[in-house]
Amino acid sequence: MPAITNKQQLLTQAQNALKKRFPLPALEPESPRPLLEELLFAICREGSTTADAEAAYGRLKKTFVDWNEIRVSTVQEVADALRPLPQAGPRAGWIIGVLHAVFELNYSYDLGDMEKKGLKQAAKQVSRYFNDSELKKLNLKQAAKQIGRFKQVNDFAVAWVVQRSLGGHAIPLDGPTIRVLQRLGVVEEVDLDDLESVRGGIEHMIPKVRGPEFTELVSIHAKELCTEKDPLCPKCPLLSDCPTGQELTAKKSDKDKPDGKPKKSR
Ligand code: SF4
């Protein structure tokens, strides 16, 4: 399929160009996170970068004695520890909800046995924690409400855990990553309720071994250059391959011309 091959080449080139442009953060934390912690870290990481998520996650762990204290704290208290991470309130509600769900199921905060059960089984089990009906059953209406608002995060967190903890091939897609992929013309309309199929297409184009690096570089790019408002296209190493960037820069140079006429050289 030539279209896929072209997109695949585009993504390979884009990743190489971004690697030259941005310093790559460590792809693994200094000390490996147990599965539950990786899951909670994913909540901080969605829509952010690893550096910003690490900082928020560090504040969270420093502020509270343990996971149980976080579970019984208010959304406001947990959100205060996460700030200035954006959307700290919804993330706090989600973290508390996941801790409640895990505790109710295990009476502990250990998901370690999932790793032993194998990738498919583990991914299935992880998904359960993001299932609203499961949470409602546990009387976690507040958490379910928060989670319901951020359905796309569910798929991101599961994909993140599969990529980082379970040794599988998954490309977590969050808002900034989708924005870059759309601007590059790799994906078109995205149904946030069916993120899994979009993700499947992207995973087909990016080899597993390049997955974590791709995830990191695109997030940094989305924060530094391909911002939601006013992307810095003239400074972007992907401009020559980006239809959106070319359109935006052409429009801007037209706007800069007085009455549409080229500026006189001095
Ligand atoms: S050229 Fe502009 S729109 Fe395209 S990827 Fe770069 S910053 Fe984003």
Side-chain angles (χ1 to χ4, degrees), residues 1-21:
M1 287 162 66
I4 297 247
T5 309
N6 290 343
K7 287 179 182 177
Q8 209 162 6
Q9 283 170 351
L10 172 63
L11 286 179
T12 304
Q13 283 168 16
Q15 185 166 346
N16 293 341
L18 293 176
K19 199 173 171 180
K20 284 186 195 151
R21 182 60 176 266

Side-chain angles (χ1 to χ4, degrees), residues 222-254:
K223 181 185 175 185
E224 300 295 333
L225 296 175
C226 199
T227 47
E228 188 166 9
K229 251 187 95 186
D230 304 326
L232 303 171
C233 303
K235 293 183 178 173
C236 179
L238 313 184
L239 180 58
S240 59
D241 287 320
C242 177
T244 311
Q246 287 167 16
E247 196 183 316
L248 290 174
T249 44
K251 268 188 199 159
K252 186 159 188 328
S253 65
D254 280 351

Side-chain angles (χ1 to χ4, degrees), residues 167-218:
H169 182 35
I171 303 292
L173 296 180
D174 57 6
T177 305
I178 291 171
R179 178 172 75 235
V180 173
L181 293 172
Q182 282 179 321
R183 286 178 176 172
L184 287 171
V186 175
V187 296
E188 290 167 9
E189 287 300 305
V190 172
D191 177 0
L192 295 179
D193 290 331
D194 186 24
L195 213 46
E196 208 178 329
S197 66
V198 182
R199 191 159 54 73
I202 300 297
E203 285 160 6
H204 196 65
M205 292 186 256
I206 297 168
K208 181 183 168 191
V209 72
R210 283 168 67 93
E213 183 188 278
F214 174 85
T215 301
E216 295 301 333
L217 289 170
V218 172

